[in-house]
Amino acid sequence: MSLGGLQTFSRMIRGRRLFAAGLQCCRCRLSCHVKRHYSLLPDDVKSLRALVNPEISRIRNIGIMAHIDAGKTTTTERMLYYAGYTRALGDVDDGDTVTDFMAQERERGITIQSAAVSFDWKSHRINLIDTPGHVDFTLEVERALRVLDGAVAVFDASAGVEAQTLTVWRQAEKHHIPCVCFLNKMDKPAANLSFCIESIRKKLKANPVLLQIPVGSGKNFTGVVDLLTSRKLMWKMKSMRDDGRVFEVKALDRSDDPDLLQVVSDARTALIEQVADLDDEFAELLLTDFSENFDAIPSNKLQEAVRRVTLARKGVPVLCGSSLRNKGVQPLLDAITAYLPAPNERHHDVVRWYKDDLCALAFKVLHDKQRGPLVFLRIYSGTLKPQTALHNINRNSTERMSRLLVPFADQHVEIPSMTAGNIALTVGLKQTVTGDTIVSSKASAAAAAHRAQNDNEAGKRSRECASVILSGVEVPDPVFFCTIEPPSMSKQADLENVLNCLQREDPSLKVRLDPDSGQTILCGMGELHIEIIHDRIRREYGIETHLGPLQVAYRETVLHEASASDTLDRTVGERRHVVTVELAVRPVDITSVGGSCELAFTEELEGQLSAEMKEAVENGVHSSFLQGPLLGYPLQGVSTLIQCVTIEPGTSPAMVSACVSRCMLKALRLAGGQVLEPVMSLEVTVGEDHLSSVLGDLAQRRGTVRDIQSRHDNKVLLATVPLAEMMVRGHSNVKIAFFGGFNLQVRIIYDLRICVHVKGYSTVLRTLTSGNATFSLELDTYEAMNPQEQNTLLKRLSGLL
Ligand SMILES: Nc1nc2c(ncn2[C@@H]2O[C@H](COP(=O)(O)OP(=O)(O)OP(=O)(O)O)[C@@H](O)[C@H]2O)c(=O)[nH]1
């Protein structure tokens, strides 16, 4: 940090003092004894077979999450290297990292799949998942977070909190995951500690607990001062190729830069005050045993308190470094073991019903051509052994697991058993999909349900069953779709097979058949997502497919309330089916129901209908929700009330569903249709010189500017814009861009280092700003189209334009 930066920071933390005036800062009087610290590195790369089941308190299941390009993969590579699991440092820019092992990841320099890696650090087992930063792969992050106990949020220290950081942070909060922040890229000239701390506070609404102060800035960033011990950790690199394994640990003394001493002293006092504010036990210790000199508090007491604060999610420890320049990663590893929770410190309600019986969650499925599906399991209780039958509660099926492996990126090491708290990779589970709960047997699930019932006498049966199933992963709705065709009809069955495999791996990929054209439709989270799938089908399965023009996934809703009734009277063979249905539909606020549709029965009907017929009615309504009356897009924000159902004896449930669907269509048509379009939130970082051209372009795209902020010399433009406006205009061109655009897209990612979501916009932005802009885009909401736009869309989709 520059002198000015140090002083600003010093002022900032002094200004933030929370404690009473009695808290005085004491100058540290630590010895100037110097020692050399070597990270644990065995003589050779560790034998993967040496991995054994560690004690649960020494396991850390953690994820690395951040905005695209913050340096997650680079940081993971350093961790593996310092832990002794790799001989050489991998580099994303050279395409030789351990965790980005897919061909597309190596070519594009981005993470697409989360990869699980197990390694040991100072007698702790770290199971680490490197997650993608690109918004198209948000589900990968969600799946990983579901099974993690803690996370490291990596930031580009020159950018602070970026758009996707906010998304993943919210995801971590949803799963109550304690985090540690790592301000990476401190070697960049624009790196700014106080800016990052403020953006964590303001944008993430988190409470940053700063544990280190950087020494030097930009190219001269040489190390950090650990505020707990007041010791300097210095990486004295002899050359650019120095791997940073060896660093010097030295207590601060009077020979150090007086500005640095002042900043450290102020920051340490602020840290003590902040922790005392957040942790009563520490505050009490401080006031009873160290009231004369708060600064004399032992570092281990401060560390214990920071741990409690982190686990209670009252604060997030903040560390800094530069992974690419090999500085600051070993203290980050220490922080993971010191502050993030062990599996037994997390409370998963369901685990207590299983006691020592096996209970695990399938959180990821990979397809291996030789071994079939590989299922990643997080074990919550009990022990997993190979060659055993396992029961899948969600599918109510039992299948045999043949082999048990420890995942080490794309290498897998076979092991005889695995205990609670760990992450395992299994071979042989053919029916299991992401989100399923795996137990040892049907009987053990029943026993768990029984325990749940005993503990919760007041609960209903259905709730008890639900409580013994681990909650799965929420799959967001796809926003793009396109048709996919095999090169010839003879390949259709192969393509269907491949798409089935890919869907098991990736629940955010949806495949459906167009009922009118009979074509196969691919629905995905973004253009890049669909392009990667297309590419994988070609490379991994050898099928050259043709993608149709990319289209926006609109939704439909209704404008007014309407009622309808219908009677179905049909004789099939000897059997007569007669059913009469009366129902009403009405619009509901799309934000209040989270975008979904609602279904209710009158109280009277609830008591009258058998479970089977109720399910038939529900099926009829739900199938209508999937196809709106205007353009056949799924419905959103529609509430349905079933008012009357009369069923004559002998009528089949299928006929009841058919009658309900027909009646729904009548009611929906009467209620008047409205198209809803996906509206994206857009963040563009651009130099001030180019701001006006970006704004002008945005106005033409029906964009709404929400805010313009300053970040260093750049402006950050926050806006919302309809997704359709971000695509290449003239849809037939998209097809050409798809086939010819592969290299172009790779180049854009490398040139601009941006989150390329929509090629059309990225190209325009590059032209407008001479390559001096980055942007990210994510789904904000669905909004009603105005009548004129809707008319144009209806005409275009019906071929009239
Ligand atoms: N200057 C500087 N560059 C870094 C640092 N760490 C990573 N980078 C560079 O930043 C770019 C992105 O690094 P990655 O490690 O791929 O980032 P990521 O967060 O894994 O990216 P995604 O997986 O695509 O989201 C690469 O060009 C790295 O060389 C750092 O400490 N300093």
Side-chain angles (χ1 to χ4, degrees):
M1 210 177 353
S2 67
L3 187 57
L6 277 176
Q7 283 161 349
T8 315
F9 181 71
S10 187
R11 274 199 299 278
M12 186 182 105
I13 50 179
R14 267 189 236 139
R16 286 203 69 260
R17 288 212 179 135
L18 305 165
F19 239 52
L23 276 175
Q24 284 299 313
C25 148
C26 316
R27 286 276 169 130
C28 34
R29 291 189 187 82
L30 293 158
S31 67
C32 58
H33 148 100
V34 177
K35 70 177 181 204
R36 273 184 120 44
H37 179 100
Y38 295 88
S39 66
L40 296 180
L41 189 88
D43 294 333
D44 202 348
V45 174
K46 271 186 191 159
S47 158
L48 298 178
R49 290 185 190 281
L51 295 165
V52 286
N53 281 305
E55 195 194 308
I56 194 160
S57 65
R58 296 195 165 266
I59 300 174
R60 299 288 180 271
N61 292 313
I62 62 145
I64 297 224
M65 55 181 202
H67 187 80
I68 188 166
D69 273 357
K72 296 177 298 293
T73 308
T74 309
T75 306
T76 307
E77 286 299 315
R78 269 54 184 176
M79 287 179 174
L80 294 177
Y81 180 73
Y82 297 134
Y85 283 89
T86 49
R87 273 176 207 276
L89 283 171
D91 192 328
V92 253
D93 302 325
D94 295 341
D96 61 354
T97 60
V98 173
T99 51
D100 283 355
F101 55 81
M102 258 170 76
Q104 289 94 335
E105 293 179 318
R106 294 195 163 178
E107 280 173 8
R108 293 166 188 239
I110 58 165
T111 306
I112 292 167
Q113 293 190 333
S114 48
V117 188
S118 295
F119 60 91
D120 291 346
W121 178 256
K122 297 190 180 169
S123 53
H124 284 78
R125 163 68 45 78
I126 298 181
N127 296 314
L128 182 146
I129 300 188
D130 176 22
T131 59
H134 194 291
V135 69
D136 280 16
F137 308 108
T138 303
L139 187 71
E140 278 292 312
V141 184
E142 178 83 22
R143 277 192 276 181
L145 288 172
R146 174 66 192 82
V147 294
L148 295 174
D149 300 315
V152 176
V154 180
F155 301 78
D156 176 338
S158 68
V161 173
E162 295 175 90
Q164 185 65 2
T165 328
L166 206 61
T167 310
V168 288
W169 191 269
R170 278 193 220 117
Q171 286 176 307
E173 281 195 326
K174 191 167 92 190
H175 295 286
H176 311 290
I177 291 175
C179 291
V180 165
C181 295
F182 181 60
L183 308 182
N184 187 33
K185 306 198 182 182
M186 287 304 297
D187 60 298
K188 281 173 79 172
N192 188 326
L193 180 71
S194 21
F195 165 75
C196 290
I197 296 283
E198 268 318 290
S199 83
I200 291 173
R201 204 190 313 280
K202 280 202 183 123
K203 291 195 180 170
L204 301 181
K205 309 271 179 279
N207 196 358
V209 178
L210 185 68
L211 301 185
Q212 292 175 341
I213 292 287
V215 181
S217 64
K219 267 202 256 161
N220 297 323
F221 168 68
T222 44
V224 294
V225 177
D226 178 351
L227 291 176
L228 276 81
T229 57
S230 297
R231 288 191 300 185
K232 242 180 8 177
L233 281 56
M234 300 296 286
W235 282 262
K236 295 196 169 149
M237 313 298 251
K238 293 191 181 69
S239 73
M240 286 297 279
R241 304 198 73 78
D242 195 324
D243 65 8
R245 225 169 355 109
V246 178
F247 59 96
E248 191 184 86
V249 181
K250 175 181 170 289
L252 278 182
D253 61 45
R254 289 181 184 284
S255 68
D256 281 300
D257 174 359
D259 288 316
L260 179 68
L261 288 176
Q262 186 59 49
V263 169
V264 169
S265 169
D266 288 346
R268 188 166 198 274
T269 308
L271 171 68
I272 292 170
E273 292 170 1
Q274 186 186 15
V275 175
D277 242 14
L278 298 171
D279 184 71
D280 291 347
E281 194 179 325
F282 183 71
E284 204 175 311
L285 178 80
L286 210 59
L287 293 168
T288 47
D289 297 357
F290 298 93
S291 55
E292 296 299 305
N293 180 3
F294 286 173
D295 210 32
I297 188 104
S299 59
N300 65 328
K301 293 289 173 199
L302 186 50
Q303 190 182 69
E304 282 164 18
V306 172
R307 180 162 219 270
R308 287 191 295 272
V309 164
T310 314
L311 297 197
R313 296 174 53 249
K314 291 180 181 167
V316 278
V318 179
L319 294 96
C320 38
S322 164
S323 299
L324 187 67
R325 305 283 167 236
N326 306 324
K327 290 167 190 159
V329 177
Q330 296 93 329
L332 175 62
L333 280 164
D334 290 343
I336 289 169
T337 59
Y339 304 119
L340 293 179
N344 55 343
E345 289 171 297
R346 301 267 294 150
H347 303 291
H348 302 287
D349 278 348
V350 75
V351 173
R352 59 196 167 112
W353 313 132
Y354 285 92
K355 296 196 163 176
D356 291 333
D357 278 351
L358 175 75
C359 175
L361 179 79
F363 69 97
K364 189 172 167 71
V365 178
L366 281 179
H367 271 271
D368 183 281
K369 279 211 195 105
Q370 271 84 43
R371 292 177 287 192
L374 304 176
V375 178
F376 283 79
L377 293 178
R378 157 76 200 255
I379 310 171
Y380 286 90
S381 64
T383 305
L384 196 60
K385 290 194 173 126
Q387 302 295 345
T388 47
L390 296 175
H391 181 66
N392 181 327
I393 304 189
N394 303 67
R395 272 144 246 286
N396 193 19
S397 65
T398 300
E399 46 182 346
R400 199 168 178 78
M401 189 247 292
S402 54
R403 294 166 68 199
L404 182 62
L405 310 161
V406 173
F408 182 80
D410 57 346
Q411 296 179 36
H412 304 130
V413 183
E414 200 138 1
I415 49 155
S417 72
M418 196 158 239
T419 50
N422 268 300
I423 286 175
L425 186 54
T426 61
V427 183
L429 301 178
K430 295 202 169 58
Q431 295 174 20
T432 304
V433 302
T434 300
D436 287 354
T437 300
I438 304 295
V439 297
S440 51
S441 65
K442 228 175 174 166
S444 88
H450 189 67
R451 280 182 211 117
Q453 192 174 16
N454 285 348
D455 270 25
N456 182 12
E457 289 293 352
K460 286 189 183 158
R461 195 168 156 62
S462 58
R463 266 182 44 210
E464 288 145 20
C465 288
S467 69
V468 295
I469 296 178
L470 292 157
S471 64
V473 180
E474 278 175 31
V475 182
D477 279 342
V479 285
F480 280 110
F481 70 92
C482 66
T483 56
I484 180 164
E485 284 166 22
S488 64
M489 281 317 287
S490 62
K491 289 271 181 191
Q492 179 68 32
D494 290 350
L495 177 62
E496 277 167 22
N497 248 338
V498 170
L499 291 174
N500 277 341
C501 291
L502 290 172
Q503 270 188 285
R504 286 190 64 198
E505 281 186 24
D506 176 2
S508 65
L509 173 73
K510 300 263 163 60
V511 180
R512 61 182 172 84
L513 262 189
D514 184 328
D516 300 326
S517 64
Q519 283 178 303
T520 308
I521 313 279
L522 271 189
C523 311
M525 303 307 297
E527 202 169 355
L528 180 59
H529 183 203
I530 291 185
E531 193 174 333
I532 298 280
I533 296 291
H534 180 220
D535 197 33
R536 286 188 65 190
I537 296 172
R538 181 175 62 82
R539 287 185 201 226
E540 293 171 30
Y541 298 93
I543 306 178
E544 285 289 349
T545 53
H546 298 285
L547 293 184
L550 197 68
Q551 299 185 39
V552 173
Y554 292 95
R555 296 276 186 275
E556 293 181 29
T557 192
V558 291
L559 289 167
H560 319 285
E561 184 163 353
S563 304
S565 66
D566 202 349
T567 300
L568 180 145
D569 184 345
R570 193 171 296 164
T571 305
V572 181
E574 302 279 285
R575 206 162 145 191
R576 188 168 169 219
H577 305 262
V578 186
V579 53
T580 301
V581 177
E582 277 176 44
L583 52 82
V585 294
R586 67 179 173 88
V588 284
D589 179 7
I590 44 177
T591 45
S592 72
V593 287
S596 54
C597 290
E598 295 170 342
L599 166 61
F601 291 81
T602 58
E603 232 170 80
E604 203 185 340
L605 261 185
E606 283 276 5
Q608 273 173 15
L609 284 177
S610 68
E612 188 185 31
M613 288 307 169
K614 197 171 168 216
E615 197 182 326
V617 173
E618 286 169 352
N619 287 344
V621 174
H622 286 135
S623 71
S624 309
F625 284 161
L626 294 178
Q627 270 206 311
L630 269 181
L631 288 165
Y633 287 112
L635 287 169
Q636 191 163 311
V638 176
S639 171
T640 302
L641 178 68
I642 309 293
Q643 295 161 323
C644 177
V645 182
T646 3
I647 305 166
E648 300 227 339
T651 305
S652 74
M655 290 297 173
V656 174
S657 298
C659 180
V660 171
S661 291
R662 220 167 62 177
C663 189
M664 275 293 287
L665 189 61
K666 263 191 195 176
L668 291 169
R669 286 199 173 132
L670 287 170
Q674 165 71 58
V675 177
L676 301 172
E677 63 176 340
V679 174
M680 314 301 283
S681 68
L682 169 73
E683 183 178 312
V684 184
T685 306
V686 58
E688 198 156 2
D689 298 354
H690 300 288
L691 180 64
S692 57
S693 29
V694 174
L695 283 170
D697 174 70
L698 208 56
Q700 286 181 15
R701 294 174 187 270
R702 294 191 282 133
T704 310
V705 176
R706 287 190 169 160
D707 197 10
I708 300 176
Q709 300 168 353
S710 298
R711 183 184 294 162
H712 314 304
D713 299 336
N714 288 329
K715 292 287 172 194
V716 181
L717 173 65
L718 305 174
T720 53
V721 59
L723 176 59
E725 298 291 334
M726 302 300 279
M727 297 174 68
V728 176
R729 284 150 206 261
H731 286 257
S732 55
N733 292 342
V734 181
K735 197 166 181 174
I736 300 160
F738 249 111
F739 297 120
F742 183 78
N743 289 330
L744 171 74
Q745 176 144 353
V746 176
R747 202 149 38 79
I748 292 168
I749 290 175
Y750 279 116
D751 284 353
L752 299 179
R753 308 292 324 165
I754 61 174
C755 162
V756 176
H757 191 92
V758 177
K759 278 199 283 282
Y761 188 63
S762 59
T763 313
V764 170
L765 195 65
R766 190 161 56 146
T767 316
L768 286 175
T769 64
S770 315
N772 286 313
T774 62
F775 80 97
S776 70
L777 200 61
E778 76 174 304
L779 180 64
D780 185 39
T781 181
Y782 277 86
E783 272 178 16
M785 286 183 99
N786 69 38
Q788 202 186 340
E789 294 287 342
Q790 178 166 318
N791 253 338
T792 316
L793 177 75
L794 292 177
K795 280 189 189 153
R796 188 162 54 75
L797 293 182
S798 51
L800 297 174
L801 273 186

